[in-house]
Amino acid sequence: MNRIILFITGALLMFLPGLKAQEIKVPLRFDHYYSYEQMVEAIKALNAAFPELTSVQQVGKSEEGRVIYALTINNPRTGEPLSKPGVYVDGNIHGNEIQAGEVCLYLASRLLNNYGKVEDITEVIDRNVFYIIPVVNVDGRAHFFIDANTPSSNRGLRIPVDDDRDGLFDEDAPDDINGDGNITTMRKKDPLGRLKTDPEDPRLMIPVKPGEFGEWTMLGQEGIDNDGDGQINEDSEGYVDGNRNWGIYWAPPYVQRGAGLFPFSGTGIKAIAEWMLARPNIIMVFAFHNSGGMYLRGPSFKAAGELPQGDISVYDYLGKNAEKIVPGYKYLISWKDLYTTYGDFTDFTDNMLGSYSLVGELFQVSTETYGTPAQEKEDEARMFGGTGEADRARLKFNDHVTQGELYKEWKSYKHPVYGDVEIGGWVKMSSRLPHPFMLQDLVHRNASAVIFAAQNTPDVKLEVIETKKIDANLYRIRVRLVNSKSMPSMSYLAMKNKAYPFDILSVNGTSAKVVSGGRITDIYFDKVEYKEYRPELQFCQVPGFGKVEYQFIVSGKGSVEIKYESRKAGTRKTTTELKEK
Ligand SMILES: [Ca+2]
Ligand SMILES: [Ca+2]
Ligand SMILES: [Ca+2]
Ligand SMILES: [Ca+2]
Ligand SMILES: [Zn+2]
């Protein structure tokens, strides 16, 4: 009843080859995927529907000139964005990983449409600021929709790289030679091939036994030799990987494929880094990717060493809950459980911004099953279009749950080099993307993991627990900072790295002077670690689910202001009176 419905006029609609024009309405729908242009319209529609709570920023531009948009959700009545713990969420740094964009968009939509209706949501909006960049690799997303692709292509940035060092850049990509909008695979009848038809499903092939004659040879991705150099598909778009070029712990291309020529390669990557560094209140970061069913924390390579124990506790709390929020997901460590990367985004945010960062890998192949989940079989060799039980189940899922939308049957084709071949296989909107009918569940659960983390950003209360006259003209003030959430006011890694100044607790009075001050280590035995210089300023951190207490000996009279200032946890102020009793 309170729902605002916003119609974008026909004039604003984007018409793109192969994409149906669509009215973007709020509340948004999550039974389809949004093209780059539709994503932009949806962000603008949310902003138009909730002008009080949102603002839209143009963070930067991609190599091809597309704008990277951010949606900021902040309630101005509860304070300026920089005064609140910032929750940053992005997706689609890999261009093909499009549902990561929908997770971001859904999160925004869910928060905004339920502000003032759902108490927990109202609370996180009032207490936090959300910075949401649904599409990092805007060129990649655009090309993924427009061009024929495999489920894994158009992943990188649009920076040309000469993969085969022939002096030509991106000159021979896979080609949609049968014109069905997908890059699938080619196979050829071959009496000496090492594969034969799977007796249970003729679309699949299985390896022949030793001594047996085969039936098929796989010829790789669909395509021709565009530049006539005697190789087929040897130099496709890119490859510079947005997630290998953040300017910390970066390694050059000879160490790691996907690195650009220098750190912060990618105009959009550099723009996002600058944009984030201008928002030092960001304490929680989510970066969504699309494959594996995981929540990953750093570090991204072994030599970085383990994180401080205090931070591991925070990650464990968030990660183990995320595992329950999204059944099937595993909470893991990047380098140890997945693979090593250098110049990783979350290493950048953890070390340079002092945030807690989780990577969400969204798609779980085990959800595409027909009948009983065959999870134990899911890891079975899935080479050459599939050899296992899991692939047979996925094909049945395709046949009977998606009416064949995910898979192209093998069809004959006359290839200029190979002659008679067959082309077929999984389409681009498969294998790493849930069918749209399953999207709602995926985006909601992952948005819930973000909201859970937002609820766990530091919430610091400042209280004066004692103001007592202890001598002529001398007072003792005791102050307590309590944090009721799991995240500390400053990460232990940021403290260790000296990434930025500590929180400051200060005492100030026009007719008062702080004689001494320090942290109380034992309140019962009156033990205090006094700070030698400038005792009116104390550097502190408030631990998660914890407290710190400070004592100040003050001479003078009148009103004294006590102020706590934290980059991540905001500012708190209170006053106390020095008076004769
Ligand atoms: Ca080349
Ligand atoms: Ca094709
Ligand atoms: Ca070629
Ligand atoms: Ca080609
Ligand atoms: Zn990815």
Side-chain angles (χ1 to χ4, degrees), residues 233-246:
N233 305 342
E234 77 282 358
D235 192 347
S236 62
E237 86 285 343
Y239 180 81
V240 175
D241 185 326
N243 203 27
R244 305 288 184 275
N245 285 290
W246 296 83

Side-chain angles (χ1 to χ4, degrees), residues 172 225-234:
D172 191 348
D225 179 7
N226 305 78
D227 61 335
D229 70 344
Q231 295 179 80
I232 292 174
N233 305 342
E234 77 282 358

Side-chain angles (χ1 to χ4, degrees), residues 507-528:
V507 173
N508 223 308
T510 42
S511 315
K513 181 183 183 327
V514 177
V515 177
S516 69
R519 195 166 76 87
I520 301 172
T521 54
D522 191 321
I523 203 160
Y524 303 107
F525 289 98
D526 194 20
K527 286 186 183 153
V528 178

